[in-house]
Amino acid sequence: MAAIRVELVYMAPAGAIVREYLIEAPVSVEGALRRAALDPVFAGAGLDKAVVGVFGRIVGRQERLEDGDRIE
């Protein structure tokens, strides 16, 4: 299986946090958020409870991601 590139954009009080990850496919939004939660920059961000979208479209956490998707 190949890895896909996924970008995560989070708007924190101090400004936007943008991170890119290579994640083994297939992966859901939930899987990508679990991976991002391991990144210290997202400590306390509440990714487990956030409403999320892909390119501005609200999606469920089971939505499968494609290479180049951006989670917001």
Side-chain angles (χ1 to χ4, degrees):
M1 298 200 167
I4 62 170
R5 183 184 57 80
V6 176
E7 185 176 63
L8 179 66
V9 179
Y10 176 78
M11 195 57 169
I17 299 171
V18 181
R19 290 287 190 267
E20 188 174 288
Y21 301 99
L22 285 176
I23 304 175
E24 195 69 29
V27 65
S28 66
V29 169
E30 180 67 31
L33 291 174
R34 281 196 310 267
R35 166 59 185 91
L38 299 174
D39 189 332
V41 74
F42 290 115
L47 297 180
D48 58 329
K49 297 178 180 92
V51 175
V52 295
V54 174
F55 291 116
R57 179 180 55 88
I58 294 176
V59 297
R61 290 178 175 263
Q62 298 310 312
E63 174 108 359
R64 186 163 287 180
L65 295 171
E66 301 292 330
D67 186 46
D69 277 350
R70 183 181 67 226
I71 302 171
E72 304 161 338

